[in-house]
Amino acid sequence: MTSRAQSRFTGLAPSLVFAAFITLAGCASGPSQPPAPISSGKPRVEPGPQQAETEPEEPGSLHAERLDVDARGMPLPLPGKFTPAFLEGEKLVRAGVLLPFSHPNAAVRAEAEGMLAGIEMALFDHAGDDFVLLPKDTAGSRSATVEVADQAEREGADFFLGPLFGENIAALNEDRTVAGLPVIGFSNDRDVAGGNTWLASITPEEEVASLVSYAVSQGYYQFAYFGPQSPLGQRIETALQFQASQNGASVISSAFYPDGSESPTEEAKYLARSINSASGSGGPVAVLIPERGTQLRKVAPLLPFYGTGRSAKLMGLSGWNDAGVWREPSLKGGWFVAPPKADIEAFETRYRRIYGRAPSGLAAQAYDAAALAMQLSADGALDRREITSMDGFVGLNGLFRFTTDGTAQRRLAIYEVSPEEGAVQIKDADKTFRPGVG
């Protein structure tokens, strides 16, 4: 196999990060039909005297080709394994990419397109010329996920990247047609992980663990929760309770408000009284507010307004990693957790140059998952022992590894909000999973 970019997967915590910038053509605009199969390479032609001085041919658009479609515009099943004409006779690795390109929600469609763009960038960085992507549209539904996964299996898919939603991953796990094929999904629903399914998402549990560990190291042994009464909110509060107990700390109070409430004043008053009482006898309190965007700017000022003052350190998850909220005065000095920014910033710059816009929220995660799968399948298959390497892998989002239960462990960085400087990284992400080694 001839690799497009030198592999950096040798040794401890091998890196997925791209080795060089490659200019790609095309854009990630929403397709009216599922995108066509994408091959990692083109037939190699030895350059002549004049060719050697010309610019290398750029990869084509993400959607340069289309599948044959039926009267409804749906792709027709292909007869047998998909093989590009110039790769006839070669032993190929094929990855089914299962994403909701035609989801009813425009934001979800845009996310799916951004993730596919990230996967395509990984393709040209890390795959050999005998690697093929088979993008399939799940539309976000269970039945469509099973249908297109079965189609991809008939076309020769060796593993799957996606789906995005937990219920779609659950449907895939129950599909006997694709049983045994590895799945690297992007949901943060831990219940659908396990077996041959791994989740490349950054879970709130991992974020809470990093945040609590850092807060304790800074002398905070009392925590509080101020957030929505929703399944995700309850899940985050449970993670806070668990991580506090694991670190010899405690959660002194939790105030849940109705999901989406713009002014939960009674809940804020209750929590402010609890914080002031606890801080007077037991030291400072760190308050986790797992909101983002406009909602964060509405609820965060309530606690200092009702008198917490300097007795409370406000904290957040990666939803705080948004320049649009950093000028909120009540967040000044607050901490939040997010991936290390150096490689992410380089990826975002490159993505903007290629596609003319900012990457979607999960584009970098999709890049990491694809790059890992491409490198590990270079010998023709994804091996479970390689996927669950104890040393882990370094991606755009930092160091991570897959555990035997199918979830991902990550090493994340800690940031402090500064209205003047934006977000300042105050703790680097650990570079190893070895206990006691930073």
Side-chain angles (χ1 to χ4, degrees):
M1 175 179 291
T2 303
S3 176
R4 277 191 177 272
Q6 181 181 5
S7 171
R8 296 169 62 188
F9 269 66
T10 57
L12 175 64
S15 176
L16 306 182
V17 179
F18 48 84
F21 291 135
I22 300 175
T23 302
L24 305 181
C27 67
S29 58
S32 58
Q33 303 164 6
I38 305 170
S39 172
S40 66
K42 296 178 181 292
R44 294 194 180 277
V45 178
E46 292 297 323
Q50 294 180 332
Q51 290 176 301
E53 297 179 2
T54 62
E55 291 292 323
E57 182 177 0
E58 295 180 343
S61 167
L62 245 142
H63 313 307
E65 303 176 57
R66 298 289 182 185
L67 294 175
D68 291 334
V69 297
D70 62 19
R72 299 172 299 159
M74 298 299 292
L76 293 170
L78 299 180
K81 295 184 177 181
F82 174 81
T83 303
F86 63 88
L87 290 176
E88 287 289 349
E90 297 290 335
K91 184 178 180 181
L92 303 183
V93 177
R94 303 172 180 86
V97 179
L98 309 179
L99 293 171
F101 299 109
S102 66
H103 193 276
N105 186 297
V108 174
R109 295 196 301 272
E111 184 63 71
E113 282 298 302
M115 294 174 72
L116 181 58
I119 291 170
E120 188 191 40
M121 289 170 67
L123 179 78
F124 288 103
D125 287 351
H126 296 284
D129 290 342
D130 49 2
F131 193 100
V132 177
L133 297 178
L134 303 172
K136 301 296 179 184
D137 180 17
T138 67
S141 78
R142 290 176 60 96
S143 60
T145 297
V146 171
E147 181 179 351
V148 298
D150 291 352
Q151 179 182 332
E153 190 274 337
R154 292 194 299 272
E155 294 172 12
D158 297 292
F159 58 87
F160 295 108
L161 296 171
L164 175 58
F165 301 121
E167 62 179 11
N168 296 165
I169 296 175
L172 198 62
N173 291 342
E174 298 165 4
D175 182 11
R176 293 185 179 182
T177 301
V178 299
L181 292 183
V183 176
I184 300 180
F186 299 102
S187 168
N188 62 14
D189 182 357
R190 302 165 70 98
D191 292 340
V192 300
N196 287 316
T197 298
W198 289 270
L199 301 181
S201 53
I202 302 176
T203 67
E205 286 83 0
E206 285 294 306
E207 294 184 347
V208 171
S210 296
L211 198 56
V212 170
S213 177
Y214 178 75
V216 169
S217 74
Q218 301 302 302
Y220 287 85
Y221 288 89
Q222 297 188 109
F223 293 87
Y225 172 90
F226 186 49
Q229 178 76 51
S230 66
L232 180 58
Q234 291 176 324
R235 177 178 162 188
I236 292 171
E237 195 270 348
T238 298
L240 180 64
Q241 294 275 4
F242 176 76
Q243 292 299 331
S245 66
Q246 291 292 103
N247 285 271
S250 63
V251 176
I252 57 100
S253 186
S254 294
F256 292 91
Y257 49 79
D259 195 10
S261 175
E262 296 184 359
S263 185
T265 56
E266 293 306 314
E267 293 84 355
K269 291 177 181 178
Y270 161 77
L271 190 61
R273 289 193 298 268
S274 299
I275 292 170
N276 290 332
S277 174
S279 61
S281 57
V285 179
V287 187
L288 176 59
I289 306 178
E291 294 283 15
R292 63 179 64 214
T294 302
Q295 182 69 1
L296 175 60
R297 293 197 300 269
K298 290 177 178 177
V299 303
L302 294 174
L303 293 179
F305 180 80
Y306 287 112
T308 55
R310 295 183 178 180
S311 61
K313 168 70 73 173
L314 302 189
M315 306 191 306
L317 305 184
S318 56
W320 284 31
N321 193 16
D322 173 8
V325 304
W326 296 338
R327 293 190 179 278
E328 164 54 47
S330 63
L331 298 180
K332 182 178 180 179
W335 296 333
F336 69 89
V337 61
K341 64 181 180 180
D343 291 325
I344 290 291
E345 288 178 345
F347 172 78
E348 290 176 349
T349 298
R350 183 184 175 204
Y351 189 106
R352 286 178 185 273
R353 191 177 71 240
I354 296 169
Y355 298 106
R357 65 188 185 197
S360 64
L362 298 178
Q365 289 183 36
Y367 180 102
D368 281 354
L372 172 64
M374 290 166 186
Q375 294 287 345
L376 295 187
S377 66
D379 58 359
L382 274 180
D383 182 82
R384 184 180 183 86
R385 289 173 298 177
E386 291 180 328
I387 292 176
T388 55
S389 167
M390 292 295 292
D391 287 334
F393 313 93
V394 177
L396 298 173
N397 289 286
L399 179 66
F400 71 100
R401 66 180 177 186
F402 289 117
T403 64
T404 54
D405 68 3
T407 60
Q409 288 184 324
R410 294 183 178 269
R411 292 293 186 247
L412 300 169
I414 304 296
Y415 298 81
E416 183 170 279
V417 177
S418 168
E420 298 79 20
E421 302 177 63
V424 179
Q425 186 168 313
I426 57 174
K427 180 186 180 299
D428 294 338
D430 291 341
K431 295 178 173 56
T432 180
F433 285 105
R434 297 178 181 179
V437 180

